Each structure stands twice: as C-alpha cells, then as structure tokens.
C-alpha cells in the first residue's frame, strides 16, 4: 500500500527524533520494578480523552501504547485512569513510535493489585463500561 506524503511526514515524527538526546533508553531509565500489563486505560490530556493500552507499570511510571491520532507532547501533564478506577497524575517524558513514557507525580502503591482482575468477577464488565464512559464525558 502506497503512503501519501502526509503519512510519510507523520511517520518521520514517530521516530526517536522526538526523544531528547539527553534522555537514555526507556529500558534504562526507570529504577522501580516494572510489571508487564495488558489492560486498557483512559488517558486524559489537553481536553482530550482516549483509550490506550498499558504496556508496563511501575511505582514511578508507565509505558503506554497509543493508536493513531493525537498524542500528548513531551512535558505535557496527563491523567491516567487504570482499569480498577485508580487515577494517576503524570508527565510525558518520552515518545517513540506508538509508545510514550509517563513519570508519575506520586508513587503508585501496590502495583500488583492494580493489574490483578481475578477477584472482580461480574464487576469486571462494570469496570470496562466505566472506563469507556470516562472517555466520553466532556
């Protein structure tokens, strides 16, 4: 499939160029233990709300996968809503391809519990609906 000039232009901005040279690789930056995650989260920034995928989570930050469209810039303040309803304030520290790195303003306690849904039972579907509705509110 051929790419338009605009698509090639945008793809150029989705590379490591958006990461300041003084910033080391995201794999080397976080001191806290990372927990692999596979859940949807709501991301709020600049009066935008969207559903993204949480790739990993630690006490101090997260790696998020975003789809095509508007994404926050490095330095933007954001709010993440995890699947369990936890709200986390943070700041975007890096962008690469379709991923972004977030540093939280306050440490996240009990990271394992934030990623465990086995105890939700029927409430699991209610949490999913709540997360979806959170992106529709204005």
């Amino acid at each position: 499939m051929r790419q338009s000039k605009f698509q090639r232009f945008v793809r150029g901005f989705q590379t490591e160029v958006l990461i300041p040279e003084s910033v080391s690789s995201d794999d080397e930056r976080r001191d806290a233990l990372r927990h692999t995650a596979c859940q949807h989260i709501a991301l709020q920034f600049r009066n935008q709300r969207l559903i993204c995928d949480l790739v990993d989570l630690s006490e101090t930050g997260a790696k998020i996968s975003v789809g095509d469209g508007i994404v926050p810039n490095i330095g933007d303040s954001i709010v993440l809503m995890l699947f369990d309803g936890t709200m986390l304030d943070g700041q975007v520290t890096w962008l690469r391809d379709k991923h972004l790195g977030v540093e939280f303003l306050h440490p996240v306690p009990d990271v394992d519990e934030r990623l465990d849904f086995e105890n939700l039972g029927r409430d699991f579907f209610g949490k999913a609906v709540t997360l979806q509705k959170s992106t529709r509110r204005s």
Side-chain angles (χ1 to χ4, degrees):
M1 184 178 205
R2 285 188 59 154
Q3 292 183 344
S4 69
K5 288 182 182 179
F6 180 74
Q7 288 171 323
R8 286 192 300 269
F9 175 77
V10 170
R11 182 163 296 212
F13 285 103
Q14 295 176 335
T15 62
E16 295 183 30
V17 173
L18 296 175
I19 302 173
E21 290 183 20
S22 63
V23 174
S24 61
S25 165
D26 57 301
D27 293 331
E28 301 167 4
R29 294 168 24 109
R30 221 178 308 154
D31 293 330
L33 176 65
R34 297 170 188 228
H35 300 268
T36 302
C38 185
Q39 68 172 264
H40 296 299
I41 59 169
L43 175 64
Q44 181 179 344
F45 63 98
R46 286 185 271 142
N47 297 323
Q48 300 286 324
R49 293 181 178 150
L50 51 109
I51 299 286
C52 302
D53 295 318
L54 182 64
V55 177
D56 69 37
L57 180 69
S58 73
E59 290 182 359
T60 59
K63 181 177 181 181
I64 299 167
S65 176
V66 294
D68 292 333
I70 299 172
V71 295
N73 295 317
I74 294 174
D76 278 357
S77 295
I78 59 144
V79 177
L80 297 180
M81 180 177 168
L82 299 181
F83 195 82
D84 70 352
T86 302
M87 303 293 277
L88 303 170
D89 295 316
Q91 184 174 28
V92 177
T93 57
W94 60 265
L95 298 168
R96 183 178 297 127
D97 297 324
K98 293 188 177 188
H99 293 92
L100 59 95
V102 175
E103 181 178 1
F104 299 135
L105 299 181
H106 307 286
V108 178
D110 305 320
V111 173
D112 283 335
E113 291 179 19
R114 307 274 182 255
L115 302 174
D116 183 18
F117 308 121
E118 291 181 12
N119 61 343
L120 290 178
R122 293 188 320 196
D123 292 337
F124 177 85
F125 296 103
K127 296 283 187 184
V129 170
T130 300
L131 185 67
Q132 290 173 347
K133 286 181 178 179
S134 74
T135 62
R136 294 185 190 143
R137 294 183 191 135
S138 49

